[in-house]
Amino acid sequence: MEAVGLNRAEALFRARAYYYQPDLPASRIGAEAAGVVEEVGPGVEGFAAGDPVSVLLIATGAMSVHGVYADRVNVPAHTLIRRHPSVDAVTGAATWLSYLTAYGALVEIGGLRPGDTALITAASSSVGIAAIQVANLVGAVPVAVTRTGAKKEQLLKAGAAHVVALDEDDLIARVGELTGGRGARVVFDAVGGPGVTRLAELVARDGTLIVYGWLDGRPTPLPANWPLAVYGFALPAVLDHEDRKRRATAFIEAGIRSGDLSPLVDRVFPLEAVADAHRHMEGNGQVGKIVLTVGRGEEE
């Protein structure tokens, strides 16, 4: 192991608020990482010792059994993604979960096209930043939503066409102004909870409201009587379909090569400071991905 990407799911998992529970007393934690193959087991094809790889665990229960907060891990071969030698470990640990989620939801499910508006909540998260970049690469207009104006300049620098700060702006009025009253073609929401009914008012006719997270924690009511599609997104919607998986992988790899897709790393901690890294994540001050490095010493 060389680097581990932190995700909000791990804080929820640790707090027993995730959609599956730790398999105690021997549960592990962590779903995304990068490193180098040391050895392959019998019957494994396509990978060999010395290969640089990323690791992505998404199956129910997988994190509990194969969690990647470690200096060495033994994981199923199907969780590996080949990593080009030019892609460093920090980037390799910060890419796949965020960009597969953003691309899969916005493009494969939402059908985002050039000129469409994509409204992105929790936009300073790693998935939010990925969604901004994916929307730009498609030719769409990413509108970032954030709780306070403190992150506005960082989000504009990250590529957002517009930023709506909930402590400064009226969300419905501002989105109406930005879209000429049409609403957003895709609303991409990480929060869930009762606020979903408000977001539904911002979706363009025949548009899509995609909910992929539950940061709110309260029940999420299903919007009624709006001419829109509502979709609960998780990565199997991409990875369990070979055509979608092939398109997503090609899109992300091409974007990384061209530099149009580039994970924004907020802060790097050594593995030994994982508790501090989780405190930083739960403080909600980050913009982009938090990464742990293995065997590199001091915090960056």
Side-chain angles (χ1 to χ4, degrees):
M1 300 301 297
E2 295 178 326
V4 177
L6 267 60
N7 296 289
R8 182 71 59 169
E10 289 133 40
L12 295 171
F13 182 71
R14 196 193 73 239
R16 294 186 177 228
Y18 199 46
Y19 79 92
Y20 64 81
Q21 294 298 303
D23 185 15
L24 299 175
S27 186
R28 301 182 60 133
I29 191 170
E32 186 174 20
V36 176
V37 174
E38 276 194 336
E39 187 177 358
V40 298
V44 172
E45 298 179 354
F47 294 98
D51 286 347
V53 294
S54 294
V55 182
L56 183 60
L57 304 170
I58 64 160
T60 299
M63 179 164 54
S64 190
V65 178
H66 301 292
V68 295
Y69 286 15
D71 55 7
R72 280 180 171 80
V73 293
N74 186 359
V75 297
H78 69 81
T79 68
L80 300 183
I81 302 170
R82 193 172 301 281
R83 177 164 57 94
H84 193 276
S86 65
V87 176
D88 65 87
V90 169
T91 300
T95 295
W96 287 99
L97 189 146
S98 298
Y99 286 94
L100 283 169
T101 301
Y103 169 86
L106 293 177
V107 179
E108 293 291 338
I109 302 303
L112 194 68
R113 298 164 297 197
D116 288 345
T117 297
L119 186 71
I120 302 160
T121 70
S124 61
S125 68
S126 58
V127 176
I129 297 298
I132 289 170
Q133 294 180 4
V134 167
N136 279 324
L137 189 52
V138 168
V141 181
V143 177
V145 179
T146 185
R147 288 185 303 117
T148 73
K151 298 177 181 178
K152 183 175 287 189
E153 290 304 317
Q154 290 170 286
L155 288 168
L156 290 170
K157 186 177 179 181
H162 308 280
V163 178
V164 181
L166 297 179
D167 67 342
E168 299 175 359
D169 303 308
D170 182 305
L171 178 62
I172 292 176
R174 182 65 175 140
V175 172
E177 175 188 338
L178 293 172
T179 63
R182 294 182 300 276
R185 176 71 178 75
V186 179
V187 173
F188 185 47
D189 179 46
V191 181
V196 162
T197 56
R198 186 183 184 200
L199 291 177
E201 298 180 43
L202 304 174
V203 182
R205 182 173 292 275
D206 298 323
T208 305
L209 168 60
I210 300 172
V211 182
Y212 74 95
W214 56 93
L215 294 176
D216 187 294
R218 293 176 292 175
T220 300
L222 182 66
N225 300 323
W226 282 291
L228 57 89
V230 181
Y231 193 96
F233 180 86
L235 275 178
V238 172
L239 299 183
D240 288 354
H241 300 266
E242 284 305 315
D243 283 349
R244 290 177 179 176
K245 180 179 178 181
R246 175 181 52 80
R247 289 191 295 265
T249 302
F251 182 92
I252 294 166
E253 288 179 342
I256 294 293
R257 285 196 306 270
S258 68
D260 292 303
L261 303 181
S262 178
L264 177 59
V265 176
D266 173 84
R267 194 164 167 186
V268 176
F269 293 81
L271 179 62
E272 294 80 6
V274 61
D276 292 332
H278 267 243
R279 292 186 189 101
H280 180 59
M281 178 166 59
E282 292 180 302
N284 296 318
Q286 79 273 15
V287 177
K289 195 83 163 184
I290 301 167
V291 177
L292 305 173
T293 52
V294 181
R296 293 196 187 183
E298 297 300 317
E299 177 182 334
E300 298 176 23

